[in-house]
Amino acid sequence: MDDDLHPTPPEPPPVPPPPGAPPRDIRGLSSSPVAPTAPLGQQASGRIRLGALFMLIGGGIVLLSTFLPRFTITGPNGTTSLSGIQGGSIGMLVLAGFAIAKGSAGIRPGIVRMRLGSPILTGILMMVVLALRWSDLQNGLKVADGIPGVTASIGIGYWLSVLGAALVLCGGALLQFGDRVG
């Protein structure tokens, strides 16, 4: 009865972190918490910043390469080129977007917040897609070689995609394992 006359005051709500502060408990694909890339007011380590820069540049190269020729056929009727978009590389566009976002988040954690994601997985998936495309391109070269007067070649877009994906893979490795090494 005495408790009804003197109710206990409610607990104050938790104090939110200051604006722009990275979350304290960032989880990737693993279940163990990891530290944010850089505490508020501090720079990320050199490996993390380099990895983020590699991912950002590599993602940009892959993004641009999807609009360049991947396969070129020259015959009696002229030359025809097939770009990455025409070749069904929408998946590479999506992966390039993830790489750019993850690279941006590594350089400036306050700009893009990506809680879920494994940076190295983006590079691995890009390499898998490129390996499948390599098989398709080799089949196209074989078919073109069987037609008299027709030549075919792999275009600059594919090779730039390989370069960009390699940068994303290296950057993802540095982002994911950078502070654990050395």
Side-chain angles (χ1 to χ4, degrees):
M1 185 79 122
D2 201 22
D3 288 337
D4 291 338
L5 295 175
H6 302 287
T8 58
E11 290 187 34
V15 177
R24 292 279 222 204
D25 185 28
I26 298 176
R27 295 182 188 266
L29 292 179
S30 68
S31 63
S32 61
V34 295
T37 56
L40 186 62
Q42 293 182 2
Q43 292 289 329
S45 74
R47 289 186 181 116
I48 298 295
R49 290 187 59 78
L50 183 63
L53 188 62
F54 277 1
M55 286 201 77
L56 189 62
I57 291 170
I61 289 172
V62 170
L63 181 72
L64 292 175
S65 73
T66 57
F67 299 102
L68 296 173
R70 297 242 173 155
F71 192 72
T72 303
I73 302 170
T74 304
N77 295 332
T79 301
T80 303
S81 294
L82 182 67
S83 72
I85 296 295
Q86 294 166 328
S89 289
I90 302 299
M92 287 298 278
L93 280 174
V94 171
L95 290 171
F98 283 141
I100 291 169
K102 194 64 175 175
S104 298
I107 291 173
R108 299 284 308 259
I111 293 176
V112 179
R113 295 184 189 264
M114 289 188 68
R115 292 188 65 148
L116 282 177
S118 172
I120 199 168
L121 184 61
T122 303
I124 291 170
L125 288 174
M126 282 182 168
M127 288 299 190
V128 168
V129 169
L130 288 171
L132 294 172
R133 291 290 168 230
W134 178 256
S135 175
D136 293 342
L137 292 172
Q138 291 302 311
N139 288 338
L141 289 173
K142 286 179 188 174
V143 168
D145 281 344
I147 302 172
V150 173
T151 59
S153 63
I154 298 173
I156 188 72
Y158 180 80
W159 300 115
L160 284 175
S161 289
V162 170
L163 173 67
L167 284 172
V168 168
L169 186 61
C170 291
L174 284 172
L175 269 176
Q176 193 155 346
F177 305 116
D179 284 342
R180 297 181 197 163
V181 178

